[in-house]
Amino acid sequence: MTYAVRFSATGGPDVLKWEKVDVPDPRPGEVRIRHTAIGLNFIDTYHRSGLYPMPLPAVPGIEGVGIVEAVGEGVNTFKEGTRVGYPAGPAGAYCEVRSILADRLIEIPDSVSDQDAAALLTKGCTVEFLVRRLYRVNPGDTVLLHAAAGGVGLIACQWLSSIGAIVIGTVGSKEKAALAKENGCTHTVLYREENFENAVMDITGGKGVPVVYDSVGAATFDQSINCLARRGMMVTFGNATGPVPAVSPATLAQKGSLILTRPSLMDYVADRDDLITSTSSVLMKIATGALKANIRQIFALQHARQAHSALEARKTSGQTILTL
């Protein structure tokens, strides 16, 4: 018998419960791992709230790091004692022990700590596909990045800075602006005090930006569209303030033949080869010092309820992890 954080009904953070669960032996193709650190991601709150439905009762969490305890039949890529992690589920990470398909796991190198891996895997792979495979940002490009001091935002600032891009980042406070700049953000905009659309146009001389990366959602979407240059791409990859409004294709044409996309990390690491490509790029950036964790909140796993409350209230910055 072991413990997990589960919810039997969707709702606010209070639906999360610390409960005993049974973990079966790994089936063919699976390994059983004991978690040491778990990444907190906004998608966890979407699963809990019901925005992204899951069969109930459910265990949230798509990112974990731990030690292999047992391997199922046919698994020869990992052995007992191997340090492993996963950036994209399947959901069920908020637990002490779980069994998971071996092809969803990667080995964690000795140079990366468990906590740093839990902070960087999902968010690093998200940034990797956003700036390399969805829209390839080149040196000298100017991009608009919302929530620049958040978990994904700081990693994106580091990554984009390392390739010579110019980052306009929106933040909620002077403290977060300083943090974003420390991590490579070129221009910060205090969205509570400034109109970010005006700021973008001032910085770009009225041209706008070729791409907007927006994890905020409803509160920023309309103005973000207006920040795009002709044939620009609007990348909405999160709903922190709620789902974005419906957009007519005609509107995209009228505003400059714009491209609108709502991508998911899951589709960019669905195949084993893509998973290895993405995680290898992230680990290489870590090895060269281009990516560094900014773990600014640590909660014990059984206090996941408090972690969700802090995340949704926008009281966090950098990365947040859950530990055991």
Side-chain angles (χ1 to χ4, degrees):
M1 189 71 72
T2 183
Y3 282 86
V5 173
R6 294 200 299 183
F7 58 98
S8 297
T10 57
D14 59 306
V15 302
L16 298 174
K17 309 292 183 184
W18 182 244
E19 298 177 342
K20 288 184 177 180
V21 295
D22 289 318
V23 179
D25 290 335
R27 294 176 294 186
E30 292 184 336
V31 302
R32 188 175 71 233
I33 65 174
R34 179 168 295 275
H35 285 126
T36 55
I38 296 159
L40 179 71
N41 296 283
F42 247 108
I43 193 173
D44 305 346
T45 71
Y46 304 156
H47 286 148
R48 187 214 70 224
S49 70
L51 180 63
Y52 294 176
M54 295 173 63
L56 300 176
V59 177
I62 62 164
E63 175 180 31
V65 176
I67 305 295
V68 174
E69 285 194 333
V71 299
E73 181 183 346
V75 175
N76 53 26
T77 48
F78 304 105
K79 60 183 179 180
E80 290 183 33
T82 303
R83 295 172 63 235
V84 295
Y86 53 96
Y94 284 24
C95 61
E96 294 179 318
V97 178
R98 77 178 298 190
S99 291
I100 186 171
L101 286 170
D103 69 2
R104 293 289 83 199
L105 299 172
I106 63 160
E107 186 170 349
I108 304 299
D110 292 341
S111 58
V112 180
S113 71
D114 289 3
Q115 291 195 359
D116 282 0
L120 292 172
L121 279 179
T122 297
K123 298 169 186 68
C125 287
T126 298
V127 171
E128 183 276 330
F129 92 77
L130 288 175
V131 307
R132 291 182 73 242
R133 290 187 284 152
L134 177 62
Y135 179 95
R136 191 169 189 89
V137 179
N138 293 309
D141 284 350
T142 300
V143 309
L144 174 58
L145 171 68
H146 288 296
V152 172
L154 290 183
I155 295 172
C157 286
Q158 292 178 30
W159 196 305
L160 290 164
S161 175
S162 74
I163 62 175
I166 299 165
V167 183
I168 304 171
T170 64
V171 293
S173 68
K174 291 181 179 178
E175 292 75 18
K176 289 187 175 182
L179 181 60
K181 285 191 173 182
E182 288 171 9
N183 284 270
C185 189
T186 317
H187 306 277
T188 54
V189 181
L190 297 170
Y191 67 84
R192 293 189 175 99
E193 302 175 14
E194 306 172 69
N195 182 304
F196 72 79
E197 181 183 338
N198 291 342
V200 168
M201 290 305 169
D202 286 344
I203 292 167
T204 63
K207 295 179 180 179
V209 295
V211 62
V212 174
Y213 295 114
D214 188 354
S215 61
V216 175
T220 52
F221 182 78
D222 288 338
Q223 280 188 280
S224 292
I225 287 280
N226 294 336
C227 292
L228 286 167
R230 185 176 287 114
R231 300 197 305 274
M233 179 181 288
M234 177 67 200
V235 182
T236 171
F237 67 100
N239 308 303
T241 60
V244 302
V247 179
S248 165
T251 299
L252 300 176
Q254 293 162 4
K255 289 182 177 290
S257 298
L258 305 181
I259 299 168
L260 170 62
T261 181
R262 179 59 170 92
S264 168
L265 171 64
M266 311 309 173
D267 290 319
Y268 282 82
V269 295
D271 297 329
R272 177 71 180 171
D273 287 347
D274 285 337
L275 175 66
I276 296 302
T277 295
S278 189
T279 53
S280 295
S281 296
V282 172
L283 293 172
M284 180 62 70
K285 287 283 187 183
I286 296 172
T288 62
L291 284 190
K292 296 179 181 179
N294 283 271
I295 301 170
R296 303 179 75 84
Q297 299 82 210
I298 298 177
F299 293 85
L301 176 59
Q302 57 263 47
H303 297 151
R305 182 185 302 179
Q306 291 93 315
H308 276 224
S309 295
L311 182 64
E312 291 181 305
R314 306 181 82 168
K315 293 181 179 179
T316 64
S317 58
Q319 293 92 48
T320 304
I321 62 170
L322 309 172
T323 58
L324 297 100

